[in-house]
Amino acid sequence: MEDTLKILVVDDDEVNRIAVRYALNEAGIQMELSEVSDGNDALSILRTTAYDCVFLAYRLLDQDGLTLIQQLRSSEIKVPLVVLTGQEDKQTAVKLLKAGATDYLSKSRISPENLAQVLRSAIRVYRAEMQVTLAKDQLRESHEQLIRKNQELERQQQQLQIQNFKLSEALLLKSHFLATMSHELRTPMNAIIGFSQILLRPKFGQLTHQQADMVERILNNGKHLLMLVNEVLDFSKLESGRLDLKAEIFDISKVINLAVGEMRSLADAKNLSLLVEMDLQNSLVFNDPVRVKQILINLLSNAIKFTESGEIWVEVEELPTNRVAIMVRDTGIGIAPRDFKRIFEAFRQVDQTITRKYPGTGLGLAIIDSLVRMMGGKIFLESKLGVGSMFKIELPRQITLSSVGSDPPPLQDGNRVVCSVKNPHHSSSQARQTSIGYPKYKI
Ligand code: ADP
């Protein structure tokens, strides 16, 4: 308290005021002292001037000290208040402190030491109280801010929920539309394919070379269109969880040979070698043969589509823990690591421009991804731009029949069991694995 202190003494008794002034001077307090003799004057001076401390007599002519303290505090005048009491008892002192007095001192104990001590402690206490009040105010403010932010977050969450709901509704509608449309398109497509096949049969009359060529084109385009329509139908079924696996025991090597056989003409047309290597002790598996073939056909058609020259290998091998791996490698254009994940998303293609070189819906890998998940398998991808790609599918030898609640049947020849595996809807926990690295094969 080295600074000059501004002190106000409020007392109607001049003798008391002199005693206070004298004691403070004697105590060596550096101060600027003002004196008033009644409560009203005290109020008006305190409203306009800031003081470091007020010494206030409990009894004044116009009012008592308690009323004055209450008035001061209710008019938000902030100043340390030391009440100088007469013969008042302890209860009065407690009342004064409760009303907002900082401290009190009996007039009979006024001495330089006592007054200086009370003054210093009142100022210290008052400053500490002010800091506490400030901290409380800041705390209240940040608490209120938190509440406001929380309310804002809740509002945003609600909005998100509504948007989410709308999105799911739109997604469902879209899936429904895709399923209906592709279903409706399949009937005329089948008629076009069927009738062009009949027209090409010699017993229906000889077509000219040109006519046969045109009918063949109708047939091939029809088949291609049907394949696209089927892809869309499968995708919409997978999306809405309406595609079920029809599991049975079958010879996987036969299904693989069948798929390769179907794709060979396409590979031949591009002068690509299509090689198959199977290393299986036991070629029986329990799975959906139609869907396993579909996965392989999709991988092979991509391999052929994205390879201009070189070879395509299909390798099948047994893995520990009762699993089978099917690998399709090509010497094609390859895929950049940044696209590894993206290409498994529906409608995603590395080249998304309208003028892209390679046709397709961008649904093949998304369908494979969903099917492999349903089968409890994993997909691995290794690729390098300009070198080639390797897609590896790891499948359990026997897929789990979780929805029918039974163990898979023993794998023996001639044991033909057909079960339906429900689509458990997309589960993101069973993540696809992509291993990024240099292709293991040499070109
Ligand atoms: P689509 O073949 O109909 O475009 P897919 O879902 O089968 O759709 O494949 C998505 C994309 O992944 C392809 O457009 C292509 O960019 C990339 N891709 C898939 N397979 C290969 C491959 N063997 N070599 C290079 N790129 C591939």
Side-chain angles (χ1 to χ4, degrees), residues 215-230:
V215 177
E216 245 167 58
R217 280 175 193 227
I218 294 172
L219 178 62
N220 287 338
N221 279 299
K223 279 183 180 169
H224 182 66
L225 254 176
L226 187 64
M227 191 202 77
L228 295 180
V229 169
N230 280 339

Side-chain angles (χ1 to χ4, degrees), residues 302-303 305-306 330 333-335 343 348-351 359-366 389 391:
N302 275 349
K305 183 162 65 176
F306 294 106
D330 63 55
I333 59 170
I335 302 156
I343 55 169
R348 283 276 188 197
Q349 293 166 314
V350 171
D351 181 2
T361 54
L363 284 176
L365 289 180
S389 309
F391 286 85

Side-chain angles (χ1 to χ4, degrees), residues 299 326-328 335 344 365 380-381 389-393:
L299 289 179
I326 306 169
M327 280 157 283
V328 177
I335 302 156
F344 288 92
L365 289 180
F380 296 86
L381 164 61
S389 309
M390 191 277 292
F391 286 85
K392 179 177 172 188
I393 311 287

